[in-house]
Amino acid sequence: MGIKENLEFYGNNIPEHVNLVAVSKTKPVSDLLTAYECGQRIFGENKVQELANKQPQLPADIDWHFIGHLQSNKVKYIAPFVSLIHSIDSLKLLKEINKQALKNNRIINCLLQFHIASEESKFGLDIEEATLMLKSETFSLMDNVKIVGVMGMATFTSDEQVIRKEFIQLKDIFGKLKQDFFQDDENFKEISMGMSDDYKIAIEEGSTLVRIGSAIFGARN
Ligand SMILES: *Cc1c(COP(=O)(O)O)cnc(C)c1O
Protein backbone atom coordinates (compact mmCIF):
# COMPACT_ATOMS: atom_id res chain seq x y z
CA MET A 1 0.00 0.00 0.00
CA GLY A 2 1.15 3.51 -0.81
CA ILE A 3 1.02 6.74 1.14
CA LYS A 4 -2.20 7.78 -0.59
CA GLU A 5 -4.04 4.56 0.28
CA ASN A 6 -2.76 4.65 3.84
CA LEU A 7 -3.97 8.23 4.34
CA GLU A 8 -7.33 7.31 2.86
CA PHE A 9 -7.57 4.49 5.37
CA TYR A 10 -7.04 6.84 8.30
CA GLY A 11 -9.34 9.42 6.72
CA ASN A 12 -12.07 6.76 6.81
CA ASN A 13 -11.22 5.19 10.16
CA ILE A 14 -10.46 8.08 12.49
CA PRO A 15 -13.41 9.94 14.01
CA GLU A 16 -13.90 13.57 13.10
CA HIS A 17 -12.83 14.95 16.50
CA VAL A 18 -9.41 13.26 16.21
CA ASN A 19 -6.65 14.90 14.16
CA LEU A 20 -3.97 12.91 12.39
CA VAL A 21 -0.34 13.95 12.78
CA ALA A 22 1.59 12.33 9.93
CA VAL A 23 4.93 11.49 11.52
CA SER A 24 7.41 12.03 8.70
CA LYS A 25 10.72 11.74 10.57
CA THR A 26 13.53 10.22 8.47
CA LYS A 27 11.31 10.33 5.34
CA PRO A 28 12.30 12.33 2.23
CA VAL A 29 10.58 15.59 1.29
CA SER A 30 9.05 13.81 -1.73
CA ASP A 31 7.07 11.53 0.61
CA LEU A 32 5.77 14.51 2.57
CA LEU A 33 4.75 16.20 -0.67
CA THR A 34 2.83 13.09 -1.71
CA ALA A 35 0.97 13.19 1.60
CA TYR A 36 0.39 16.93 1.21
CA GLU A 37 -1.10 16.39 -2.23
CA CYS A 38 -3.53 13.91 -0.65
CA GLY A 39 -4.69 16.72 1.63
CA GLN A 40 -2.56 16.00 4.72
CA ARG A 41 -1.62 19.25 6.48
CA ILE A 42 -0.25 18.22 9.89
CA PHE A 43 3.23 16.71 9.95
CA GLY A 44 5.26 15.61 12.96
CA GLU A 45 9.05 15.61 13.23
CA ASN A 46 11.28 14.75 16.18
CA LYS A 47 14.65 16.28 15.23
CA VAL A 48 15.17 20.04 15.16
CA GLN A 49 17.68 20.02 12.34
CA GLU A 50 15.59 17.76 10.14
CA LEU A 51 12.48 19.85 10.72
CA ALA A 52 14.28 23.16 10.08
CA ASN A 53 15.68 21.67 6.88
CA LYS A 54 12.39 20.30 5.56
CA GLN A 55 10.11 23.22 6.42
CA PRO A 56 11.34 25.68 3.75
CA GLN A 57 11.16 22.99 1.06
CA LEU A 58 7.45 22.38 1.56
CA PRO A 59 4.24 24.44 1.27
CA ALA A 60 3.79 27.22 3.80
CA ASP A 61 0.35 26.12 4.99
CA ILE A 62 1.64 22.96 6.68
CA ASP A 63 1.15 22.72 10.47
CA TRP A 64 4.46 21.47 11.79
CA HIS A 65 4.34 19.59 15.08
CA PHE A 66 7.48 18.92 17.06
CA ILE A 67 7.12 15.56 18.82
CA GLY A 68 10.60 14.69 20.10
CA HIS A 69 12.72 15.61 23.06
CA LEU A 70 13.58 19.29 22.64
CA GLN A 71 16.76 20.89 23.95
CA SER A 72 16.37 24.51 25.03
CA ASN A 73 19.32 25.68 22.96
CA LYS A 74 17.63 24.47 19.75
CA VAL A 75 14.23 26.11 20.22
CA LYS A 76 15.30 29.14 18.21
CA TYR A 77 15.54 27.13 14.98
CA ILE A 78 11.87 26.12 14.98
CA ALA A 79 10.27 29.03 16.88
CA PRO A 80 9.53 31.06 13.70
CA PHE A 81 7.14 28.47 12.28
CA VAL A 82 6.34 25.51 14.57
CA SER A 83 2.62 25.21 15.26
CA LEU A 84 2.57 22.78 18.20
CA ILE A 85 5.31 21.43 20.45
CA HIS A 86 4.18 18.12 22.02
CA SER A 87 7.11 17.62 24.33
CA ILE A 88 7.27 20.14 27.19
CA ASP A 89 9.09 18.38 30.01
CA SER A 90 10.56 21.26 32.02
CA LEU A 91 9.91 24.85 33.06
CA LYS A 92 13.31 25.75 31.62
CA LEU A 93 12.23 24.56 28.17
CA LEU A 94 8.92 26.40 28.37
CA LYS A 95 10.74 29.58 29.39
CA GLU A 96 13.00 29.39 26.36
CA ILE A 97 10.05 28.74 24.04
CA ASN A 98 8.31 31.79 25.50
CA LYS A 99 11.42 33.88 24.89
CA GLN A 100 11.84 32.74 21.30
CA ALA A 101 8.12 33.07 20.58
CA LEU A 102 8.25 36.67 21.83
CA LYS A 103 11.22 37.37 19.55
CA ASN A 104 9.17 36.08 16.63
CA ASN A 105 6.09 37.97 17.74
CA ARG A 106 4.14 34.70 18.09
CA ILE A 107 2.28 32.61 20.61
CA ILE A 108 3.42 29.00 20.45
CA ASN A 109 1.02 26.21 21.41
CA CYS A 110 2.49 23.50 23.62
CA LEU A 111 1.54 20.19 25.22
CA LEU A 112 2.87 18.95 28.55
CA GLN A 113 4.47 15.56 28.02
CA PHE A 114 3.77 13.03 30.75
CA HIS A 115 5.73 9.94 31.63
CA ILE A 116 3.09 7.20 31.51
CA ALA A 117 5.14 4.24 30.26
CA SER A 118 6.83 1.76 32.53
CA GLU A 119 10.09 2.13 30.60
CA GLU A 120 12.76 4.28 32.23
CA SER A 121 13.94 5.92 29.05
CA LYS A 122 10.87 7.88 28.06
CA PHE A 123 10.86 11.59 28.78
CA GLY A 124 8.09 13.41 30.53
CA LEU A 125 6.69 15.01 33.65
CA ASP A 126 4.68 13.54 36.47
CA ILE A 127 1.60 15.27 37.86
CA GLU A 128 3.49 16.83 40.80
CA GLU A 129 6.09 18.39 38.53
CA ALA A 130 3.41 19.71 36.19
CA THR A 131 1.44 21.16 39.10
CA LEU A 132 4.52 22.98 40.41
CA MET A 133 5.19 24.33 36.95
CA LEU A 134 1.68 25.61 36.37
CA LYS A 135 1.55 27.22 39.82
CA SER A 136 4.89 28.98 39.43
CA GLU A 137 5.19 32.72 39.05
CA THR A 138 7.57 32.11 36.14
CA PHE A 139 4.79 30.39 34.25
CA SER A 140 2.19 33.02 35.12
CA LEU A 141 4.40 35.66 33.50
CA MET A 142 4.67 33.86 30.15
CA ASP A 143 2.53 35.56 27.50
CA ASN A 144 3.88 33.84 24.40
CA VAL A 145 3.21 30.18 25.14
CA LYS A 146 -0.17 28.53 25.40
CA ILE A 147 -0.63 25.12 27.03
CA VAL A 148 -3.31 23.37 24.97
CA GLY A 149 -3.18 19.87 26.43
CA VAL A 150 -1.11 16.80 27.24
CA MET A 151 0.92 14.16 25.43
CA GLY A 152 2.16 10.70 26.33
CA MET A 153 3.65 7.53 24.92
CA ALA A 154 2.58 4.11 26.11
CA THR A 155 4.98 1.29 26.93
CA PHE A 156 6.28 -0.60 23.90
CA THR A 157 4.44 -3.85 24.47
CA SER A 158 1.89 -6.12 22.80
CA ASP A 159 -0.10 -6.24 26.05
CA GLU A 160 -3.19 -4.20 25.23
CA GLN A 161 -4.24 -3.93 28.85
CA VAL A 162 -0.99 -2.25 29.81
CA ILE A 163 -1.34 0.23 26.95
CA ARG A 164 -4.98 0.96 27.76
CA LYS A 165 -4.19 1.53 31.43
CA GLU A 166 -1.50 4.05 30.52
CA PHE A 167 -3.78 5.95 28.13
CA ILE A 168 -6.47 6.08 30.82
CA GLN A 169 -3.84 7.47 33.16
CA LEU A 170 -3.06 10.26 30.68
CA LYS A 171 -6.74 11.03 30.23
CA ASP A 172 -7.08 11.30 34.03
CA ILE A 173 -4.10 13.66 34.19
CA PHE A 174 -5.73 15.78 31.51
CA GLY A 175 -8.97 15.87 33.51
CA LYS A 176 -7.22 16.85 36.71
CA LEU A 177 -5.24 19.65 35.08
CA LYS A 178 -8.36 20.87 33.28
CA GLN A 179 -10.15 21.09 36.60
CA ASP A 180 -7.31 22.66 38.57
CA PHE A 181 -5.83 25.08 36.05
CA PHE A 182 -7.75 25.34 32.77
CA GLN A 183 -11.42 25.15 33.69
CA ASP A 184 -12.47 28.19 31.68
CA ASP A 185 -9.88 27.78 28.96
CA GLU A 186 -11.38 26.24 25.84
CA ASN A 187 -7.91 26.01 24.28
CA PHE A 188 -6.91 23.29 26.75
CA LYS A 189 -8.47 20.37 24.89
CA GLU A 190 -5.82 18.15 23.32
CA ILE A 191 -4.78 14.67 24.37
CA SER A 192 -1.95 13.54 22.09
CA MET A 193 -1.72 9.77 22.35
CA GLY A 194 -1.61 6.84 19.96
CA MET A 195 0.87 5.73 17.31
CA SER A 196 0.75 3.21 14.43
CA ASP A 197 0.37 0.19 16.70
CA ASP A 198 -1.87 1.57 19.43
CA TYR A 199 -3.94 4.40 17.89
CA LYS A 200 -7.19 2.43 18.12
CA ILE A 201 -6.91 1.98 21.87
CA ALA A 202 -5.84 5.62 22.19
CA ILE A 203 -8.94 6.84 20.36
CA GLU A 204 -11.16 4.62 22.50
CA GLU A 205 -9.62 6.22 25.57
CA GLY A 206 -10.05 9.81 24.45
CA SER A 207 -7.18 10.79 22.15
CA THR A 208 -7.68 13.96 20.10
CA LEU A 209 -4.36 13.75 18.23
CA VAL A 210 -2.85 10.52 16.94
CA ARG A 211 0.77 10.51 15.79
CA ILE A 212 1.17 7.96 13.03
CA GLY A 213 4.40 7.36 11.12
CA SER A 214 5.32 3.92 9.85
CA ALA A 215 1.74 2.92 9.04
CA ILE A 216 1.54 5.85 6.62
CA PHE A 217 5.06 6.18 5.22
CA GLY A 218 6.37 2.63 5.69
CA ALA A 219 8.98 1.28 8.09
CA ARG A 220 11.91 3.50 9.01
CA ASN A 221 15.51 2.29 8.75
C1 LIG B 1 8.17 8.13 15.80
C2 LIG B 1 7.11 8.65 16.70
C3 LIG B 1 5.76 8.38 16.46
C4 LIG B 1 5.26 7.53 15.31
O1 LIG B 1 5.60 6.19 15.49
P1 LIG B 1 5.05 5.04 14.51
O2 LIG B 1 5.13 3.82 15.31
O3 LIG B 1 5.94 5.04 13.31
O4 LIG B 1 3.65 5.41 14.14
C5 LIG B 1 4.83 8.93 17.34
N1 LIG B 1 5.20 9.69 18.38
C6 LIG B 1 6.48 9.97 18.64
C7 LIG B 1 6.81 10.80 19.82
C8 LIG B 1 7.49 9.45 17.81
O5 LIG B 1 8.76 9.72 18.10
Coordinates of all heavy atoms in Angstrom, one line a residue, residues 154-218:
A154 N 2.8 5.3 25.3 CA 2.6 4.1 26.1 C 3.8 3.2 26.0 O 4.7 3.4 25.2 CB 1.4 3.3 25.6
T155 N 3.9 2.3 26.9 CA 5.0 1.3 26.9 C 5.0 0.5 25.6 O 3.9 0.2 25.0 CB 4.8 0.3 28.1 OG1 4.7 1.0 29.3 CG2 5.9 -0.8 28.1
F156 N 6.2 0.2 25.1 CA 6.3 -0.6 23.9 C 6.0 -2.1 24.3 O 6.9 -2.7 24.8 CB 7.7 -0.4 23.3 CG 7.8 -1.1 22.0 CD1 7.2 -0.7 20.8 CD2 8.7 -2.2 21.9 CE1 7.3 -1.3 19.6 CE2 8.8 -2.9 20.7 CZ 8.1 -2.5 19.6
T157 N 4.8 -2.5 24.1 CA 4.4 -3.9 24.5 C 3.3 -4.3 23.6 O 2.5 -3.5 23.1 CB 4.0 -3.9 26.0 OG1 3.5 -5.2 26.3 CG2 3.0 -2.9 26.3
S158 N 3.1 -5.6 23.5 CA 1.9 -6.1 22.8 C 0.7 -6.3 23.8 O -0.4 -6.7 23.3 CB 2.2 -7.4 22.1 OG 2.7 -8.3 23.0
D159 N 0.9 -6.1 25.0 CA -0.1 -6.2 26.0 C -1.1 -5.1 26.0 O -0.8 -4.0 26.6 CB 0.6 -6.4 27.4 CG -0.5 -6.7 28.5 OD1 -1.7 -6.5 28.3 OD2 0.0 -7.3 29.6
E160 N -2.2 -5.3 25.4 CA -3.2 -4.2 25.2 C -3.7 -3.6 26.5 O -4.0 -2.4 26.6 CB -4.4 -4.7 24.5 CG -4.2 -4.7 23.0 CD -5.6 -4.8 22.2 OE1 -6.6 -4.5 22.8 OE2 -5.5 -5.1 21.0
Q161 N -3.7 -4.4 27.6 CA -4.2 -3.9 28.8 C -3.3 -2.9 29.5 O -3.7 -2.0 30.1 CB -4.5 -5.1 29.8 CG -5.9 -5.7 29.6 CD -6.1 -6.9 30.5 OE1 -5.1 -7.6 30.8 NE2 -7.3 -7.2 30.9
V162 N -2.0 -3.2 29.3 CA -1.0 -2.3 29.8 C -1.1 -0.9 29.1 O -1.2 0.2 29.7 CB 0.4 -2.8 29.6 CG1 1.5 -1.8 29.9 CG2 0.6 -4.0 30.5
I163 N -1.2 -1.0 27.8 CA -1.3 0.2 26.9 C -2.6 1.0 27.3 O -2.6 2.2 27.6 CB -1.4 -0.1 25.4 CG1 0.0 -0.8 25.0 CG2 -1.7 1.1 24.6 CD1 0.0 -1.4 23.7
R164 N -3.7 0.3 27.4 CA -5.0 1.0 27.8 C -4.9 1.7 29.1 O -5.3 2.8 29.3 CB -6.1 -0.1 27.7 CG -7.5 0.5 27.8 CD -8.6 -0.5 27.7 NE -8.6 -1.2 26.5 CZ -9.2 -0.7 25.3 NH1 -9.7 0.4 25.3 NH2 -9.1 -1.5 24.2
K165 N -4.3 1.0 30.1 CA -4.2 1.5 31.4 C -3.4 2.8 31.4 O -3.7 3.8 32.1 CB -3.5 0.5 32.3 CG -3.7 0.7 33.8 CD -3.0 -0.3 34.6 CE -1.7 0.2 35.1 NZ -0.5 -0.5 35.1
E166 N -2.3 2.8 30.6 CA -1.5 4.1 30.5 C -2.2 5.2 29.8 O -2.1 6.4 30.2 CB -0.2 3.7 29.8 CG 0.7 2.8 30.7 CD 1.9 2.2 30.0 OE1 2.1 2.4 28.8 OE2 2.7 1.5 30.7
F167 N -3.0 4.9 28.8 CA -3.8 5.9 28.1 C -4.9 6.5 29.1 O -5.1 7.7 29.1 CB -4.4 5.4 26.8 CG -3.4 5.2 25.7 CD1 -3.6 4.3 24.7 CD2 -2.2 6.0 25.6 CE1 -2.7 4.1 23.6 CE2 -1.3 5.8 24.6 CZ -1.6 4.9 23.6
I168 N -5.5 5.6 29.8 CA -6.5 6.1 30.8 C -5.8 7.0 31.8 O -6.4 8.0 32.2 CB -7.2 4.9 31.5 CG1 -8.1 4.1 30.5 CG2 -8.0 5.3 32.7 CD1 -8.6 2.8 31.0
Q169 N -4.6 6.6 32.2 CA -3.8 7.5 33.2 C -3.6 8.9 32.6 O -3.8 9.9 33.3 CB -2.5 6.8 33.4 CG -1.7 7.2 34.6 CD -0.3 6.6 34.6 OE1 -0.1 5.5 34.1 NE2 0.6 7.3 35.1
L170 N -3.3 8.9 31.3 CA -3.1 10.3 30.7 C -4.4 11.1 30.6 O -4.4 12.3 30.9 CB -2.4 10.1 29.3 CG -2.0 11.4 28.6 CD1 -0.9 12.1 29.4 CD2 -1.5 11.1 27.2
K171 N -5.4 10.4 30.3 CA -6.7 11.0 30.2 C -7.1 11.6 31.6 O -7.6 12.7 31.7 CB -7.8 10.0 29.8 CG -9.2 10.5 29.8 CD -9.7 11.1 28.5 CE -10.9 11.9 28.7 NZ -12.1 11.2 28.3
D172 N -6.8 10.8 32.7 CA -7.1 11.3 34.0 C -6.2 12.5 34.4 O -6.7 13.4 35.0 CB -6.8 10.2 35.0 CG -7.9 9.1 35.0 OD1 -8.9 9.3 34.3 OD2 -7.6 8.0 35.5
I173 N -5.0 12.5 34.0 CA -4.1 13.7 34.2 C -4.7 14.9 33.5 O -4.8 16.0 34.1 CB -2.7 13.4 33.7 CG1 -2.0 12.3 34.6 CG2 -1.8 14.6 33.6 CD1 -0.7 11.8 34.1
F174 N -5.1 14.7 32.3 CA -5.7 15.8 31.5 C -6.9 16.3 32.3 O -7.0 17.6 32.5 CB -6.2 15.3 30.1 CG -7.0 16.3 29.4 CD1 -6.4 17.3 28.6 CD2 -8.4 16.3 29.5 CE1 -7.2 18.2 27.9 CE2 -9.2 17.2 28.8 CZ -8.6 18.2 28.0
G175 N -7.8 15.4 32.8 CA -9.0 15.9 33.5 C -8.6 16.6 34.8 O -9.3 17.6 35.1
K176 N -7.6 16.2 35.5 CA -7.2 16.9 36.7 C -6.7 18.2 36.4 O -7.0 19.2 37.1 CB -6.2 16.0 37.5 CG -5.8 16.6 38.8 CD -5.1 15.6 39.7 CE -4.4 16.2 40.9 NZ -5.2 17.3 41.5
L177 N -5.8 18.3 35.4 CA -5.2 19.7 35.1 C -6.3 20.6 34.6 O -6.3 21.8 34.9 CB -4.1 19.5 34.0 CG -2.9 18.7 34.5 CD1 -1.9 18.7 33.3 CD2 -2.2 19.4 35.7
K178 N -7.2 20.0 33.8 CA -8.4 20.9 33.3 C -9.1 21.5 34.5 O -9.4 22.7 34.5 CB -9.3 20.0 32.4 CG -10.5 20.7 31.9 CD -10.2 21.3 30.5 CE -11.3 22.2 30.1 NZ -10.9 23.1 29.0
Q179 N -9.4 20.6 35.4 CA -10.2 21.1 36.6 C -9.4 22.1 37.5 O -9.9 23.1 37.9 CB -10.5 19.9 37.5 CG -11.4 20.2 38.6 CD -11.9 18.9 39.3 OE1 -11.2 17.9 39.4 NE2 -13.2 18.8 39.6
D180 N -8.1 21.8 37.6 CA -7.3 22.7 38.6 C -6.8 23.9 37.9 O -6.6 24.9 38.6 CB -6.1 21.9 39.1 CG -6.6 20.7 40.0 OD1 -7.8 20.7 40.4 OD2 -5.7 19.9 40.4
F181 N -6.5 23.9 36.6 CA -5.8 25.1 36.0 C -6.5 25.7 34.8 O -6.2 26.8 34.4 CB -4.4 24.7 35.7 CG -3.5 24.3 36.8 CD1 -3.3 23.0 37.1 CD2 -3.0 25.3 37.7 CE1 -2.5 22.6 38.2 CE2 -2.2 24.9 38.7 CZ -2.0 23.6 39.0
F182 N -7.3 24.9 34.1 CA -7.8 25.3 32.8 C -9.3 25.3 32.6 O -9.8 25.1 31.5 CB -7.1 24.5 31.7 CG -5.6 24.6 31.7 CD1 -4.8 23.5 32.2 CD2 -4.9 25.6 31.1 CE1 -3.4 23.6 32.2 CE2 -3.5 25.7 31.0 CZ -2.8 24.7 31.6
Q183 N -10.0 25.4 33.7 CA -11.4 25.1 33.7 C -12.2 26.0 32.7 O -13.0 25.5 31.9 CB -12.0 25.4 35.1 CG -13.2 24.5 35.4 CD -13.4 24.3 36.9 OE1 -13.5 25.3 37.6 NE2 -13.5 23.1 37.3
D184 N -11.8 27.3 32.6 CA -12.5 28.2 31.7 C -11.7 28.4 30.4 O -11.9 29.4 29.7 CB -12.7 29.5 32.4 CG -13.6 29.3 33.6 OD1 -14.5 28.5 33.6 OD2 -13.2 29.9 34.7
D185 N -10.8 27.6 30.1 CA -9.9 27.8 29.0 C -10.2 26.7 27.9 O -9.8 25.6 27.9 CB -8.4 27.6 29.4 CG -7.4 27.9 28.3 OD1 -7.9 28.0 27.1 OD2 -6.2 27.9 28.6
E186 N -10.9 27.2 26.9 CA -11.4 26.2 25.8 C -10.2 25.8 25.0 O -10.4 24.8 24.2 CB -12.6 26.8 25.0 CG -12.2 27.8 23.9 CD -12.1 29.2 24.5 OE1 -12.2 29.4 25.7 OE2 -11.9 30.1 23.6
N187 N -9.1 26.4 25.1 CA -7.9 26.0 24.3 C -7.3 24.7 24.8 O -6.6 24.0 24.1 CB -6.8 27.1 24.3 CG -7.3 28.4 23.6 OD1 -7.8 28.3 22.5 ND2 -7.2 29.5 24.3
F188 N -7.5 24.5 26.1 CA -6.9 23.3 26.7 C -7.8 22.1 26.4 O -8.8 21.8 27.2 CB -6.8 23.5 28.3 CG -6.0 22.4 28.9 CD1 -4.6 22.4 28.9 CD2 -6.6 21.4 29.6 CE1 -3.9 21.4 29.6 CE2 -6.0 20.3 30.2 CZ -4.6 20.3 30.2
K189 N -7.5 21.4 25.3 CA -8.5 20.4 24.9 C -7.8 19.2 24.2 O -8.5 18.2 23.9 CB -9.5 21.0 23.9 CG -8.9 21.6 22.7 CD -10.1 22.0 21.8 CE -9.7 22.9 20.6 NZ -8.5 22.7 19.8
E190 N -6.5 19.2 24.1 CA -5.8 18.2 23.3 C -5.2 17.0 24.2 O -4.6 17.3 25.2 CB -4.7 18.7 22.5 CG -5.1 19.9 21.5 CD -6.0 19.4 20.4 OE1 -6.3 18.2 20.2 OE2 -6.5 20.3 19.6
I191 N -5.5 15.8 23.8 CA -4.8 14.7 24.4 C -4.1 13.9 23.2 O -4.7 13.3 22.4 CB -5.8 13.7 25.1 CG1 -6.6 14.5 26.1 CG2 -5.0 12.5 25.7 CD1 -7.6 13.6 26.9
S192 N -2.7 14.1 23.2 CA -2.0 13.5 22.1 C -1.5 12.2 22.5 O -0.6 12.0 23.4 CB -0.8 14.5 21.8 OG 0.2 13.8 20.9
M193 N -2.1 11.1 22.0 CA -1.7 9.8 22.4 C -2.2 8.8 21.2 O -3.2 9.1 20.6 CB -2.3 9.3 23.7 CG -3.7 9.3 23.9 SD -4.2 8.9 25.6 CE -6.0 8.7 25.5
G194 N -1.3 7.8 21.0 CA -1.6 6.8 20.0 C -0.7 7.0 18.8 O -0.4 8.1 18.3
M195 N -0.1 5.8 18.4 CA 0.9 5.7 17.3 C 0.4 4.6 16.4 O -0.7 4.1 16.6 CB 2.3 5.5 17.8 CG 2.6 6.3 19.0 SD 4.3 6.5 19.6 CE 5.2 5.2 19.0
S196 N 1.2 4.2 15.4 CA 0.7 3.2 14.4 C 0.1 2.0 15.1 O -0.9 1.5 14.6 CB 1.9 2.8 13.5 OG 2.3 3.8 12.7
D197 N 0.8 1.5 16.1 CA 0.4 0.2 16.7 C -0.7 0.3 17.8 O -1.3 -0.7 18.1 CB 1.6 -0.5 17.3 CG 2.5 -1.0 16.2 OD1 2.1 -1.2 15.0 OD2 3.7 -1.1 16.5
D198 N -0.9 1.5 18.3 CA -1.9 1.6 19.4 C -2.9 2.7 19.3 O -3.6 3.0 20.2 CB -1.1 1.7 20.8 CG -0.2 2.9 20.8 OD1 -0.3 3.8 20.0 OD2 0.7 2.9 21.7
Y199 N -3.0 3.2 18.1 CA -3.9 4.4 17.9 C -5.4 4.1 18.2 O -6.2 4.9 18.7 CB -3.8 5.0 16.5 CG -4.5 4.2 15.4 CD1 -5.8 4.6 15.0 CD2 -4.0 3.1 14.8 CE1 -6.5 3.9 14.0 CE2 -4.7 2.4 13.8 CZ -5.9 2.8 13.5 OH -6.6 2.1 12.5
K200 N -5.8 2.8 17.9 CA -7.2 2.4 18.1 C -7.6 2.5 19.6 O -8.6 3.0 20.0 CB -7.4 1.0 17.6 CG -7.8 0.9 16.2 CD -8.4 -0.5 15.9 CE -8.4 -0.7 14.4 NZ -8.5 -2.2 14.1
I201 N -6.7 1.9 20.4 CA -6.9 2.0 21.9 C -6.9 3.4 22.3 O -7.7 3.8 23.1 CB -5.8 1.2 22.6 CG1 -5.7 -0.2 22.1 CG2 -6.1 1.2 24.1 CD1 -4.5 -1.0 22.7
A202 N -6.0 4.2 21.8 CA -5.8 5.6 22.2 C -7.1 6.4 21.9 O -7.6 7.2 22.7 CB -4.7 6.3 21.5
I203 N -7.7 6.1 20.7 CA -8.9 6.8 20.4 C -10.1 6.4 21.3 O -10.9 7.2 21.8 CB -9.3 6.6 18.9 CG1 -8.2 7.4 18.0 CG2 -10.7 7.1 18.5 CD1 -8.3 7.1 16.5
E204 N -10.1 5.1 21.6 CA -11.2 4.6 22.5 C -11.1 5.3 23.9 O -12.1 5.5 24.5 CB -11.0 3.1 22.7 CG -11.6 2.3 21.5 CD -11.1 0.8 21.5 OE1 -10.6 0.3 22.5 OE2 -11.3 0.2 20.5
E205 N -9.8 5.6 24.2 CA -9.6 6.2 25.6 C -9.5 7.7 25.6 O -9.2 8.4 26.5 CB -8.4 5.6 26.2 CG -8.4 4.1 26.4 CD -9.7 3.6 27.2 OE1 -10.3 4.4 27.9 OE2 -10.1 2.4 27.0
G206 N -9.9 8.4 24.4 CA -10.0 9.8 24.5 C -9.0 10.6 23.7 O -9.0 11.9 23.9
S207 N -8.2 10.0 22.9 CA -7.2 10.8 22.2 C -7.9 11.8 21.2 O -8.9 11.5 20.6 CB -6.3 9.8 21.3 OG -5.5 10.6 20.5
T208 N -7.2 13.0 21.1 CA -7.7 14.0 20.1 C -6.7 14.2 19.0 O -6.9 14.8 18.0 CB -7.9 15.3 20.7 OG1 -6.7 15.9 21.2 CG2 -8.9 15.2 21.9
L209 N -5.5 13.6 19.2 CA -4.4 13.8 18.2 C -3.6 12.4 18.2 O -3.0 12.0 19.2 CB -3.3 14.8 18.7 CG -3.5 16.3 18.4 CD1 -2.4 17.1 19.1 CD2 -3.5 16.6 16.9
V210 N -3.7 11.7 17.1 CA -2.9 10.5 16.9 C -1.6 10.8 16.1 O -1.7 11.6 15.1 CB -3.7 9.3 16.4 CG1 -4.7 8.8 17.4 CG2 -4.4 9.7 15.1
R211 N -0.5 10.3 16.5 CA 0.8 10.5 15.8 C 1.2 9.2 15.1 O 1.7 8.3 15.7 CB 1.8 10.9 16.8 CG 1.4 12.0 17.8 CD 2.5 12.3 18.8 NE 2.9 11.1 19.5 CZ 2.5 10.6 20.6 NH1 1.5 11.2 21.3 NH2 3.0 9.5 21.1
I212 N 1.0 9.2 13.8 CA 1.2 8.0 13.0 C 2.2 8.1 12.0 O 2.2 9.0 11.1 CB -0.2 7.5 12.4 CG1 -1.1 7.2 13.6 CG2 0.0 6.2 11.6 CD1 -2.5 6.6 13.2
G213 N 3.3 7.3 12.0 CA 4.4 7.4 11.1 C 4.5 6.2 10.2 O 4.1 6.2 9.0
S214 N 5.0 5.1 10.7 CA 5.3 3.9 9.8 C 4.1 3.4 9.1 O 4.2 2.9 8.0 CB 6.0 2.8 10.7 OG 5.3 2.6 11.8
A215 N 2.9 3.5 9.7 CA 1.7 2.9 9.0 C 1.3 3.8 7.9 O 0.5 3.4 7.1 CB 0.6 2.7 10.0
I216 N 1.8 5.0 7.8 CA 1.5 5.9 6.6 C 2.7 5.8 5.6 O 2.5 5.6 4.4 CB 1.3 7.3 7.0 CG1 0.1 7.5 7.9 CG2 1.2 8.2 5.8 CD1 -0.1 8.9 8.5
F217 N 3.9 6.0 6.1 CA 5.1 6.2 5.2 C 5.9 4.9 5.0 O 6.9 4.9 4.3 CB 6.0 7.3 5.8 CG 5.3 8.6 5.8 CD1 4.9 9.2 6.9 CD2 5.1 9.3 4.6 CE1 4.3 10.5 7.0 CE2 4.5 10.6 4.6 CZ 4.1 11.2 5.8
G218 N 5.6 3.9 5.7 CA 6.4 2.6 5.7 C 7.4 2.6 6.8 O 7.7 3.6 7.5

